[in-house]
Amino acid sequence: MDPLFRIHTGLPRESPGGDVFTRQAFQLLPCLNAPRILDLGCGPGAQTLELARLTSGPITAVDLHAPYLERVREAMDAHGFGHRLTCLRHDMAALPFEDEVFDLIWCEGAIYCIGFAEGLRRWRRLLAPGGFLVVSDLIWLRPDPPEALRAFWAEAYPGMGSLATCQAHIREAGYRPLGHLILPEPAWWNYYGPLEARLDALDAQAAADDEALRQTIDRERREIAMYRAYGGWYSYAFFAMQVPRPEPSPDASFTVGRSFTIGEAFHSHFLGRDRS
Ligand SMILES: C[S@@+](CC[C@H](N)C(=O)[O-])C[C@H]1O[C@@H](n2cnc3c(N)ncnc32)[C@H](O)[C@@H]1O
């Protein structure tokens, strides 16, 4: 088995986050009535399940790795949401759907696979007018990273931006920014905690007989050590945005747009409304 999958198979999630953060990001949106959801890079499906709890419409989960899709299927069936789920093994860069067939696209910790700006650009056509896109990605929080950290992420994720560059990409791609949520430290340990336990469990095996596994374990440990040493310089952030509705014709009756509310109180540093 590929060493990466040997390490990651069975972990509860594959990016920093957690149910509470999926919920908080969802609350950046206005109230949605049974949205047709597309969950891209669903992985083991923690956010798929939470989105199912938050909504009542159909959910299409997409990933390249078939075992993840099987796991999402099992979890959704076990929780009574199976009838709402469609799984599709496909590349998120070239999706086979008609235009405007989704009301909400969700991509948690996976847009880096094709790049932030590229994902925004490619997925816009899939959203109905007024539809929403929510993505989370790695961003710099400070412009002055120590050299060891800068060099690490320059290699691991050269496209990593900042809050401002991501917000600029959102506008350039023709979306209306709705808000963002910077993930706090507990979100990271929801991911790194189980991962670190798995690395510990595999250590002896790797030392004994598997050089490729040894190298992969070392790389994962380096990433975690970077976060321990320099977590204040970067984090994941959710960004919520909307495809603008077409301008009403001059004789159309006037309607007032629904404003969105942030339902849960949490540290204001982490949450922001973005100016349109
Ligand atoms: C970091 S994981 C995030 C998974 C999940 N959303 C989570 O937060 O736990 C990224 C996921 O994207 C999938 N992936 C990578 N490249 C992809 C592509 N081009 N198209 C579809 N899925 C892809 C991987 O298999 C993996 O499940």
Side-chain angles (χ1 to χ4, degrees):
M1 194 197 269
D2 179 314
L4 209 55
F5 288 127
R6 198 151 153 211
I7 293 169
H8 284 263
T9 296
L11 295 181
R13 56 177 309 110
E14 285 297 327
S15 69
D19 290 350
V20 66
F21 304 111
T22 298
R23 273 200 302 283
Q24 288 171 352
F26 187 81
Q27 285 164 1
L28 292 167
L29 305 173
C31 189
L32 296 176
N33 183 24
R36 296 161 295 173
I37 297 177
L38 176 62
D39 180 9
L40 292 176
C42 62
Q47 76 290 318
T48 322
L49 206 53
E50 191 56 24
L51 289 169
R53 293 187 188 105
L54 289 164
T55 60
S56 58
I59 300 179
T60 303
V62 173
D63 204 283
L64 272 183
H65 187 50
Y68 281 151
L69 294 169
E70 285 159 23
R71 193 158 154 209
V72 174
R73 163 59 62 202
E74 279 165 22
M76 290 284 276
D77 285 347
H79 286 81
F81 299 128
H83 61 290
R84 292 169 51 197
L85 179 72
T86 303
C87 286
L88 180 68
R89 185 176 182 207
H90 213 282
D91 184 354
M92 64 170 82
L95 292 163
F97 306 111
E98 302 280 307
D99 289 357
E100 301 185 0
V101 293
F102 295 102
D103 304 303
L104 170 61
I105 297 177
W106 197 273
C107 184
E108 199 162 319
I111 195 169
Y112 77 91
C113 300
I114 62 169
F116 191 87
E118 192 62 15
L120 263 48
R121 194 181 65 74
R122 284 180 186 256
W123 302 337
R124 192 178 184 281
R125 70 168 187 86
L126 303 172
L127 286 166
F132 300 95
L133 172 59
V134 178
V135 302
S136 71
D137 201 13
L138 196 59
I139 59 160
W140 292 112
L141 298 178
R142 294 172 53 173
D144 56 348
E147 179 51 26
L149 180 66
R150 191 206 58 73
F152 178 84
W153 284 115
E155 191 185 336
Y157 188 23
M160 182 167 164
S162 64
L163 204 57
T165 58
C166 289
Q167 286 165 333
H169 286 314
I170 289 169
R171 291 194 186 85
E172 278 157 22
Y175 296 89
R176 188 165 79 90
L178 296 180
H180 63 268
L181 167 67
I182 297 173
L183 293 185
E185 190 172 347
W188 285 83
W189 295 112
N190 284 345
Y191 171 49
Y192 282 157
L195 174 58
E196 209 166 30
R198 176 65 56 82
L199 298 177
D200 292 345
L202 286 171
D203 257 346
Q205 247 174 301
D209 59 18
D210 194 330
E211 182 52 27
L213 181 61
R214 169 83 277 143
Q215 285 177 11
T216 312
I217 289 175
D218 288 348
R219 206 170 52 238
E220 304 263 302
R221 285 205 191 280
R222 260 202 317 282
E223 184 185 316
I224 298 172
M226 282 291 154
Y227 186 75
R228 275 211 173 87
Y230 304 118
W233 270 269
Y234 61 106
S235 191
Y236 265 77
F238 275 100
F239 296 90
M241 63 205 85
Q242 182 176 27
V243 174
R245 289 184 191 281
E247 292 288 316
S249 61
D251 58 345
S253 60
F254 181 71
T255 54
V256 179
R258 189 191 165 106
S259 66
F260 61 89
T261 56
I262 309 300
E264 285 178 36
F266 53 101
H267 200 296
S268 61
H269 168 73
F270 293 112
L271 180 71
R273 287 194 190 188
D274 298 332
R275 277 179 299 132
S276 319

